[in-house]
C-alpha cells in the first residue's frame, strides 16, 4: 500500500467533497469517505507511506549512530569511552521515549521531520546496547585474538569480524524498533505533533475520528486496524528472523 501510494491512489486526499461526506462503501469509494468527503482507501494508503517512512528513517538513524557507538564501547570495554557511552545510554533511557518525542516536537514544532528525529534519537541507545552486548563475547574468541596478534586495529576487527557476527541481532532488533516507530509516529500524530495536513497519517485519522466514534465507527476502526496489522506483522517478522538467524535455534531444530 505504501509503495503503491507513491505512484497511484484512487482519489486525491487534498480534494474535499463535503457533499460526499460519510458515504458508505461503494464502487467509487471502496471503504467509504470521511467527514470531509475524502476517500478512506486513499487516506489509508498515504497514511501507510507516512508511518512506514517515519519509522524506517528513525530506525536508520538508530543503526547508523548507535551501532558504531556500541562497537566502540565493546572494543574499549572497561575504559572511560565505554563508561561515557553506557552512561549516556542510561540518561536517554531514564526518560520514556514518548515523553522525549513529545518534548522535541513541542520545542521545534510539529512535523514529520521532527517526529523522525525524536524517534531516531531514542533508537540510538537501543542499538548501541544491542551492539555492545553482542560484541563483548566475540572479543574473547580465538579468531579475534589471532586478528589482534596479526596487527589488526580495533576498528578493523569490529568491521571485519565482530559486526558480521552480530548482524542477526541487529536485524531482529531493527524489526522490533520498526514496529515501535510506527506506534510512536501514530501517537505523535494523534496528539498533533507528527505529520501535519495535508499529509495523511494513521494517528491523525484516529484523532479526527474520535468525535464520531458512535456515528461513524469505521473512521476510527480502519486506521486502528491498519496500525494493529502492521505492528503485528512486523513483530511476527522479527520472531521469524530470530528463529531463522539464531544458530542455537538452528541446531535445536536439527
Amino acid at each position: 500500500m505504501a509503495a503503491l501510494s507513491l505512484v497511484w491512489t484512487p482519489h486525491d486526499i487534498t480534494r474535499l467533497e463535503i457533499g460526499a461526506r460519510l458515504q458508505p462503501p461503494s464502487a467509487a469509494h471502496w471503504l467509504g469517505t470521511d467527514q470531509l468527503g475524502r476517500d478512506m482507501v486513499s487516506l489509508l494508503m498515504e497514511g501507510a507511506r507516512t508511518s512506514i517512512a517515519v519509522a524506517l528513517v528513525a530506525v536508520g538513524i538508530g543503526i547508523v549512530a548507535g551501532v558504531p557507538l556500541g562497537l566502540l564501547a565493546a572494543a574499549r570495554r572497561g575504559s572511560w569511552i565505554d563508561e561515557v557511552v553506557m552512561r549516556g545510554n542510561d540518561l536517554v533511557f531514564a526518560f520514556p521515549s514518548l515523553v522525549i518525542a513529545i518534548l522535541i516536537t513541542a520545542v521545534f514544532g510539529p512535523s514529520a521531520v521532527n517526529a523522525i528525529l525524536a524517534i531516531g534519537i531514542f533508537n540510538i541507545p537501543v542499538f548501541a546496547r544491542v551492539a555492545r552486548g553482542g560484541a563483548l563475547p566475540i572479543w574473547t574468541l580465538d579468531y579475534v585474538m589471532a586478528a589482534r596478534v596479526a596487527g589488526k586495529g580495533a576498528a578493523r576487527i569490529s568491521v571485519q569480524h565482530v559486526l558480521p557476527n552480530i548482524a542477526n541481532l541487529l536485524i531482529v532488533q531493527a524489526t522490533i524498533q520498526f514496529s515501535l516507530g510506527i506506534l510512536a509516529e501514530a501517537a505523535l500524530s494523534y496528539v498533533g505533533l507528527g505529520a501535519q495536513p495535508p499529509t495523511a497519517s494513521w494517528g491523525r485519522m484516529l484523532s479526527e475520528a474520535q468525535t464520531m466514534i458512535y456515528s461513524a465507527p469505521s473512521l476510527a476502526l480502519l486506521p486502528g486496524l491498519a496500525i494493529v496489522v502492521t505492528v503485528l506483522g512486523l513483530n511476527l517478522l522479527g520472531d521469524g528472523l530470530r528463529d531463522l538467524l539464531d544458530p542455537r535455534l538452528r541446531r535445536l531444530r536439527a
Side-chain angles (χ1 to χ4, degrees):
M1 288 173 61
L4 183 60
S5 70
L6 293 171
V7 295
W8 175 84
T9 55
H11 297 271
D12 183 4
I13 66 168
T14 63
R15 182 181 178 183
L16 308 182
E17 298 182 16
I18 303 302
R21 65 191 299 269
L22 301 179
Q23 292 291 311
S26 63
H29 302 284
W30 302 333
L31 295 177
T33 60
D34 69 352
Q35 66 274 22
L36 297 177
R38 297 174 297 181
D39 181 63
M40 287 297 294
V41 172
S42 301
L43 287 170
L44 288 172
M45 291 176 67
E46 296 209 16
R49 182 177 66 192
T50 301
S51 296
I52 291 176
V54 169
L56 187 62
V57 177
V59 169
I61 291 174
I63 292 175
V64 170
V67 172
L69 286 175
L71 293 176
L72 176 63
R76 298 287 185 255
R77 57 198 179 281
S79 68
W80 66 269
I81 296 177
D82 184 21
E83 190 71 16
V84 168
V85 171
M86 298 313 297
R87 296 297 74 79
N89 291 345
D90 292 340
L91 180 63
V92 176
F93 281 132
F95 300 92
S97 58
L98 188 58
V99 172
I100 294 177
I102 291 175
L103 176 63
I104 292 175
T105 53
V107 170
F108 295 103
S111 70
V113 174
N114 290 335
I116 289 172
L117 293 176
I119 301 170
I121 288 174
F122 185 78
N123 282 335
I124 292 174
V126 173
F127 283 99
R129 279 184 175 274
V130 171
R132 179 182 182 274
L136 284 177
I138 296 176
W139 275 97
T140 63
L141 298 180
D142 292 341
Y143 66 86
V144 173
M145 297 295 182
R148 297 179 68 178
V149 171
K152 292 184 179 181
R156 190 175 176 184
I157 292 175
S158 295
V159 173
Q160 292 185 347
H161 301 288
V162 178
L163 184 58
N165 284 283
I166 64 171
N168 59 331
L169 297 176
L170 298 176
I171 291 172
V172 173
Q173 189 63 44
T175 61
I176 296 173
Q177 294 307 121
F178 194 10
S179 64
L180 294 177
I182 289 177
L183 286 175
E185 188 279 330
L188 289 174
S189 296
Y190 181 82
V191 298
L193 297 176
Q196 298 299 297
T199 304
S201 170
W202 288 340
R204 198 174 66 254
M205 290 173 67
L206 284 172
S207 177
E208 294 172 350
Q210 64 182 350
T211 59
M212 309 185 70
I213 189 67
Y214 295 109
S215 59
S218 63
L219 299 186
L221 180 62
L222 291 173
L225 186 61
I227 294 172
V228 169
V229 170
T230 304
V231 173
L232 177 62
L234 287 170
N235 284 329
L236 292 175
L237 175 63
D239 289 342
L241 288 174
R242 181 198 61 195
D243 296 343
L244 180 66
L245 298 174
D246 193 330
R248 292 170 298 180
L249 293 177
R250 287 203 298 266
R251 286 197 298 267
L252 288 176
R253 288 196 298 269

